[in-house]
Amino acid sequence: MSDTTTQQDNIWHQRLLGEDKQRRNDHRSPFQRDRARILHSAAFRRLQAKTQVLGVGMNDFYRTRLTHSLEVSQIGTGITAQLRRKYPEFKPLLNSMSLIESICLAHDIGHPPFGHGGEVALNYMMRHHGGFEGNGQTFRILSRLEPYTPSWGMNLTRRTLLGIMKYPAMHSQLFINLNKPDIANHRQLKPSDWPPVKGLFDDDQPIIDWVLSALSDNDRQLFISSEQSQVNANYPHLKTRFKSLDCSIMELADDIAYAVHDLEDAIVMGIVNQRQWQHDVVEQLHSINDLWLKSEIANIGEKLFSHEHHLRKDAIGTLVNGFVTAISIKTNDDFEAELLKYNAKLQADFALTLHVLKQLVFKYVIRKPEIQMLEYKGQQIIMELFEAFASDPERLLPLNTRERWLAANAENSNPMRVIADYISGMTDGFAGRLHQQLFGSKTAGILELSSEQ
């Protein structure tokens, strides 16, 4: 580690909008301030009423996007603590738990109602206007939309915004036009035909440029470089190749929370049984080399599927701990900036195990027809709401959103993005009630709806 770490701190602590808040005895670090802004934001609170995997309201004990984000934050700080212990020389670079918490808490803040179905629906409706993708919307909410400032969102530090950039290139750089014909009817939309571009929105280029201006020209060009997907041959668009150190920690924490905790929900609800576990996990991993992991995978099923709740919780904790302690730091000397040069990486056998667990959740939970029906219904709600607002925005949009739409229209700066912003910020329940208000035979109370957003 070099002395440049401390010299660089100042540039990564900067905010786009200069602040001179003279608050009494406020000795918080810049990243503690970031975390507070995220925790107290309306966008963060709305995650309690957005689908994680199982639809909100199907039951009352399993995870929403809010509880998922809290778990990701807890795992992210656990990973950081492990890395600080394993690599004392990296302590200056990993010196803020509040930074990792901020990035983890905020990582899902841009996801629209109704999960992946809502995301694909918005992407289709925005197909001629720069597309839509949840991670791009997260960056947009943090840096532009959340009304902590008039027009710079939460005005977070540069390093926090860099850490949120899971896919740091813009839509226009990554988009591959397949010249697909428009669907004749909303009910015919197939998500596999309209995958979102995993990237940032061109509309946000000035703020993206500001975040990346702390990097050298070489680092910046390499950081935003892209290639065909190495993992999914069916994904048509280009994908970015690199992430910052902070983002790599958040992404591992996200994957661990998704694979292990969503699996726990599925086991509790009887969606996944021990026979499926044996076939889809144990048999798939029989050739791994790590002796501890091999033994745990072979034997942990008894606890996972036990009727004794404490045994299942112990098994879940063991799995999470196994992943968190199997993470190391890899170096890429092509980068100059330490935040890009170093990434957190899962050891090979643990990475394979995590992939197998994610596939199990995808196969038995995500692809479950009942879940897909909910996604499909959400898709229809989102597309019909978008079509309605786009048909006559000045008439139907709420007052503050209408003002943003008029301003964007006057500046010729993509007014459709304003409609996508409005719909993506809704909770599942609010979107459903608004759809009922517009298209149902029964009418929800106008005042009841207007007071929610």
Side-chain angles (χ1 to χ4, degrees):
M1 299 290 292
S2 71
D3 292 337
T4 55
T5 305
T6 49
Q7 295 165 16
Q8 284 288 311
D9 271 354
N10 205 30
I11 200 165
W12 292 110
H13 289 173
Q14 286 175 357
R15 304 179 190 278
L16 185 55
L17 184 67
E19 291 185 358
D20 185 25
K21 295 185 186 294
Q22 300 297 323
R23 290 182 174 164
R24 184 171 176 268
N25 296 331
D26 189 349
H27 305 299
R28 292 175 299 167
S29 73
F31 302 127
Q32 287 174 324
R33 291 167 189 259
D34 282 358
R35 181 185 58 190
R37 291 176 192 192
I38 291 160
L39 273 172
H40 292 291
S41 67
F44 183 73
R45 286 196 299 278
R46 287 191 189 112
L47 294 176
Q48 69 188 305
K50 288 191 178 188
T51 295
Q52 168 61 11
V53 171
L54 301 160
V56 172
M58 288 175 69
N59 212 314
D60 63 358
F61 72 92
Y62 50 68
R63 291 162 171 90
T64 65
R65 283 210 184 268
L66 181 71
T67 57
H68 166 74
S69 298
L70 294 170
E71 287 171 340
V72 172
S73 174
Q74 189 267 328
I75 294 170
T77 55
I79 293 170
T80 306
Q82 284 289 328
L83 292 176
R84 282 168 57 89
R85 188 185 62 79
K86 280 186 193 174
Y87 304 96
E89 69 273 24
F90 282 93
K91 280 186 178 179
L93 205 56
L94 296 169
N95 64 353
S96 174
M97 289 298 184
S98 297
L99 167 70
I100 298 299
E101 281 187 82
S102 297
I103 294 166
C104 291
L105 289 170
H107 83 282
D108 261 356
I109 228 166
H111 279 266
F114 308 114
H116 182 64
E119 184 179 46
V120 171
L122 273 176
N123 183 53
Y124 178 75
M125 301 308 284
M126 289 291 289
R127 65 196 179 281
H128 302 310
H129 309 285
F132 180 88
E133 195 266 338
N135 296 287
Q137 190 68 18
T138 292
F139 182 84
R140 186 169 168 79
I141 288 170
L142 297 177
S143 63
R144 294 192 73 163
L145 300 180
E146 184 66 26
Y148 186 87
T149 63
S151 55
W152 303 116
M154 299 185 203
N155 197 34
L156 303 179
T157 58
R158 194 192 308 260
R159 182 164 172 181
T160 299
L161 290 176
L162 182 77
I164 280 294
M165 290 181 168
K166 269 182 89 167
Y167 312 105
M170 285 186 290
H171 180 281
S172 56
Q173 180 190 321
L174 304 170
F175 176 71
I176 301 293
N177 189 354
L178 303 176
N179 294 310
K180 281 191 180 292
D182 291 354
I183 54 174
N185 184 293
H186 290 163
R187 294 182 179 176
Q188 297 171 354
L189 182 75
K190 283 187 181 177
S192 58
D193 288 342
W194 299 92
V197 170
K198 292 184 179 296
L200 302 166
F201 304 141
D202 289 57
D203 299 309
D204 299 322
Q205 182 172 356
I207 302 172
I208 298 163
D209 288 346
W210 175 79
V211 174
L212 301 183
S213 67
L215 304 172
S216 69
D217 288 344
N218 287 340
D219 273 6
R220 186 161 56 246
Q221 290 308 312
L222 184 59
F223 187 52
I224 66 171
S225 62
S226 54
E227 62 188 4
Q228 284 295 147
S229 174
Q230 305 294 304
V231 181
N232 184 357
N234 296 319
Y235 182 75
H237 307 297
L238 299 178
K239 290 195 78 171
T240 55
R241 301 164 59 205
F242 302 108
K243 295 173 174 65
S244 71
L245 171 63
D246 304 325
C247 187
S248 70
I249 293 171
M250 175 269 282
E251 189 168 47
L252 283 172
D254 189 20
D255 283 350
I256 293 166
Y258 166 80
V260 180
H261 291 140
D262 289 352
L263 169 67
E264 181 185 13
D265 282 352
I267 290 170
V268 171
M269 294 188 70
I271 296 172
V272 172
N273 61 42
Q274 196 163 356
R275 179 183 54 79
Q276 292 162 334
W277 167 268
Q278 186 69 27
H279 179 268
D280 287 73
V281 177
V282 179
E283 291 176 19
Q284 299 295 318
L285 295 170
H286 72 277
S287 60
I288 58 176
N289 297 314
D290 187 283
L291 294 179
W292 179 88
L293 185 59
K294 197 167 190 170
S295 170
E296 284 297 331
I297 293 298
N299 299 312
I300 206 167
E302 293 303 318
K303 284 186 175 181
L304 274 177
F305 293 91
S306 169
H307 294 300
E308 301 284 340
H309 295 321
H310 67 277
L311 292 177
R312 187 181 62 250
K313 294 305 290 187
D314 180 57
I316 292 295
T318 299
L319 281 174
V320 172
N321 172 261
F323 288 121
V324 167
T325 54
I327 293 170
S328 53
I329 288 181
K330 67 169 184 175
T331 304
N332 183 344
D333 286 323
D334 292 337
F335 286 110
E336 302 162 39
E338 291 179 327
L339 283 178
L340 306 186
K341 182 184 289 190
Y342 304 113
N343 264 203
K345 186 176 173 64
L346 204 49
Q347 293 166 20
D349 280 347
F350 287 84
L352 176 61
T353 303
L354 191 60
H355 173 72
V356 167
L357 291 182
K358 285 168 69 178
Q359 290 301 110
L360 181 78
V361 172
F362 182 78
K363 179 178 178 181
Y364 292 111
V365 183
I366 309 290
R367 298 304 301 171
K368 189 176 170 65
E370 293 86 341
I371 301 294
Q372 286 301 308
M373 284 182 187
L374 286 172
E375 265 201 16
Y376 178 82
K377 185 177 183 180
Q379 244 174 250
Q380 309 308 310
I381 289 172
I382 295 294
M383 286 190 284
E384 289 180 8
L385 285 178
F386 195 105
E387 187 177 53
F389 291 128
S391 72
D392 199 344
E394 291 186 59
R395 179 183 176 201
L396 296 175
L397 287 174
L399 291 176
N400 60 338
T401 309
R402 183 196 312 169
E403 287 173 15
R404 287 187 55 232
W405 185 87
L406 287 168
N409 211 35
E411 297 161 8
N412 201 21
S413 61
N414 200 4
M416 289 301 180
R417 179 66 63 199
V418 175
I419 297 176
D421 290 339
Y422 177 51
I423 294 175
S424 71
M426 296 177 183
T427 62
D428 296 19
F430 181 83
R433 287 189 291 279
L434 189 55
H435 185 270
Q436 173 70 23
Q437 175 72 27
L438 284 167
F439 300 108
S441 54
K442 292 193 299 182
T443 55
I446 299 282
L447 291 175
E448 174 194 332
L449 280 170
S450 64
S451 66
E452 289 191 41
Q453 288 296 98

